[in-house]
Amino acid sequence: MAANRASPQQTPHLLFPLPCLPVKNRAMATGRLYINSDAVLSNWRALDAMTDCETGAVVKANGYGTGAISAAHNLVGIGVRSFFVADAQEGALLRKPLGPDACIYVFSGHMSGDTDLIRLNDLVPLLNSQDQITRHFRDLPDAPFGIQLDTGMNRLGLEPEAWQAVRETVLRRGPLLLMSHLACADSPDHSMNAQQLQVFKDVTDGIDVPRSLAATGGILLGQEYHFDLTRPGIGLFGGLPFRDARHVVRLDLPVIQVRDVAPGETVGYGNTWTATRASRIATVAGGYADGLVRLMGPKIRLFDGQTPCPVVGRISMDMIGVDVTDLAEPPEALTILGPQQRVDTLADAAQTIGYEILTSLGGRYTRSYSS
Ligand SMILES: *Cc1c(COP(=O)(O)O)cnc(C)c1O
């Protein structure tokens, strides 16, 4: 296995599973993203402990930005058997690290250009329309598949009438899974949850095929929503709605330059910040091209240990100005994401959700994995 790890087909920054990068002794002008693999595993175990059924793992979008290969490799190591990705390409990248026995489900189903990837990597498309069902039965008649049902979200899946029309034909072919997705599971009191649950039961009750409805939010809604297999994603990587999740990612931005700024001088594009006292300003590497969107600037801080330092001026494409006047010494790097300021705090500052912060984590960061 180890010999395959550096295979050139794999994205080069996805090194796993060890903290193997020489970032400590060499000053590099890229952010350092530390991913705590143990925290991912303990989040999976905590979510698994909330149900009596099988718990899968959703590792789409490069494992929510943290590195899908590393996450998948570690999760399969503790016995996770069912993985979910968005498309066949993502699934193909995972077959080798997961080994031959893991089941890799593909949410987007079987698109016309995906047939070879599905066959060669033994992926399980979650067919979502009559067209996909026809294509799959015609092009890969003996290959496994699941069915995606729309229960009200109106995003992907067969609607109840369409399902009714094909149900007998499909069931004769032995689907591995019947699944649907909740639109409002992060709001436990939303009436949509019970409504979708009822529709899901109406269209699947009495069928002897494993069922799946719950992602992270659905697991937290309680036992009725669990069925045979759950599909947590964000909860594994430390984001809401899993409030008790262990923190997974830390992002440190190296200080490239430090300067003294006199009262009345300005910093950054558009002169939006003016020094009101003699100030020391650190310029750190990392900006909106790395997913640190401009909108968050005024509401976030960077940390030297526990000491917060405000952002000054606008976030640039590759740099951020930070007021380090109150630090005894300007540090080598400042933490922008970590236990001091979590994914969902950054998300609030950017008027978005933790999912978007994680999946926007920049490709330029040096990623390293630790336990
Ligand atoms: C992304 C996704 C999941 C995982 O959702 P989380 O909220 O991240 O747990 C599960 N099922 C489907 C269909 C998805 O698209």
Side-chain angles (χ1 to χ4, degrees):
M1 187 81 200
N4 293 334
R5 280 181 193 164
S7 117
Q9 291 97 323
Q10 289 171 10
T11 320
H13 62 257
L14 296 176
L15 299 174
F16 67 96
L18 294 169
C20 45
L21 297 166
V23 289
K24 282 242 167 64
N25 307 322
R26 282 203 286 143
M28 298 162 81
T30 48
R32 301 159 203 172
L33 191 63
Y34 300 92
I35 292 132
N36 185 334
S37 302
D38 258 7
V40 176
L41 298 184
S42 67
N43 288 335
W44 184 88
R45 288 196 179 97
L47 291 163
D48 183 53
M50 293 177 195
T51 76
D52 296 324
C53 65
E54 183 188 345
T55 303
V58 180
V59 291
K60 60 192 179 186
N62 195 21
Y64 289 58
T66 72
I69 292 182
S70 163
H73 172 82
N74 293 325
L75 286 161
V76 84
I78 61 165
V80 181
R81 299 192 305 281
S82 299
F83 293 81
F84 294 85
V85 292
D87 58 48
Q89 209 116 353
E90 290 185 342
L93 276 177
L94 294 184
R95 178 47 78 197
K96 233 185 217 164
L98 284 176
D101 297 333
C103 193
I104 305 175
Y105 291 101
V106 179
F107 285 137
S108 56
H110 187 155
M111 299 289 281
S112 62
D114 291 341
T115 307
D116 288 341
L117 277 181
I118 290 172
R119 180 174 51 83
L120 292 170
N121 296 285
D122 194 17
L123 308 177
V124 184
L126 293 160
L127 308 177
N128 54 54
S129 66
Q130 176 63 64
D131 278 357
Q132 289 205 351
I133 290 170
T134 307
R135 177 179 304 128
H136 190 73
F137 291 176
R138 182 192 65 212
D139 296 346
L140 295 174
D142 301 317
F145 68 95
I147 293 287
Q148 200 161 176
L149 301 164
D150 190 82
T151 50
M153 186 175 185
N154 284 315
R155 191 177 65 166
L156 273 189
L158 293 157
E159 298 195 4
E161 308 74 49
W163 170 232
Q164 205 53 47
V166 294
R167 181 182 146 129
E168 289 317 312
T169 322
V170 165
L171 292 180
R172 252 181 272 123
R173 299 268 193 152
L176 295 189
L177 189 68
L178 303 178
M179 63 149 287
S180 187
H181 193 52
L182 298 168
C184 303
D186 53 355
S187 311
D189 298 330
H190 206 296
S191 61
M192 184 70 165
N193 297 320
Q195 197 177 313
Q196 285 192 267
L197 175 63
Q198 190 55 52
V199 175
F200 190 59
K201 285 200 212 152
D202 289 345
V203 294
T204 60
D205 268 355
I207 300 176
D208 190 20
V209 172
R211 292 187 282 182
S212 176
L213 179 62
T216 303
I219 294 173
L220 302 171
L221 290 179
Q223 211 219 322
E224 279 186 299
Y225 289 83
H226 297 163
F227 295 91
D228 302 297
L229 170 64
T230 61
R231 313 184 305 268
I234 191 74
L236 307 178
F237 302 104
L240 288 176
F242 186 22
R243 216 160 273 286
D244 301 329
R246 269 183 66 188
H247 192 77
V248 170
V249 251
R250 188 178 107 213
L251 175 58
D252 288 357
L253 303 180
V255 174
I256 316 175
Q257 194 179 15
V258 180
R259 71 182 64 251
D260 292 319
V261 171
E265 285 192 273
T266 58
V267 172
Y269 282 123
N271 289 2
T272 59
W273 186 85
T274 306
T276 54
R277 58 171 178 168
S279 304
R280 299 207 91 186
I281 303 300
T283 302
V284 299
Y288 60 77
D290 305 292
L292 304 168
V293 300
R294 293 161 86 240
L295 197 55
M296 60 172 69
K299 297 201 183 130
I300 62 165
R301 276 138 217 242
L302 278 77
F303 289 80
D304 178 33
Q306 292 307 313
T307 311
C309 308
V311 168
V312 297
R314 285 195 187 139
I315 293 179
S316 308
M317 184 186 294
D318 321 297
M319 280 165 273
I320 301 175
V322 186
D323 186 346
V324 295
T325 315
D326 297 330
L327 300 181
E329 287 243 10
E332 267 180 44
L334 290 159
T335 303
I336 190 166
L337 170 60
Q340 312 93 324
Q341 182 166 256
R342 298 178 59 131
V343 169
D344 287 287
T345 310
L346 289 187
D348 284 346
Q351 292 175 30
T352 182
I353 52 177
Y355 297 72
E356 189 175 351
I357 297 295
L358 285 175
T359 56
S360 304
L361 288 170
R364 295 194 283 199
Y365 300 141
T366 309
R367 284 158 162 79
S368 57
Y369 299 90
S370 66
S371 49

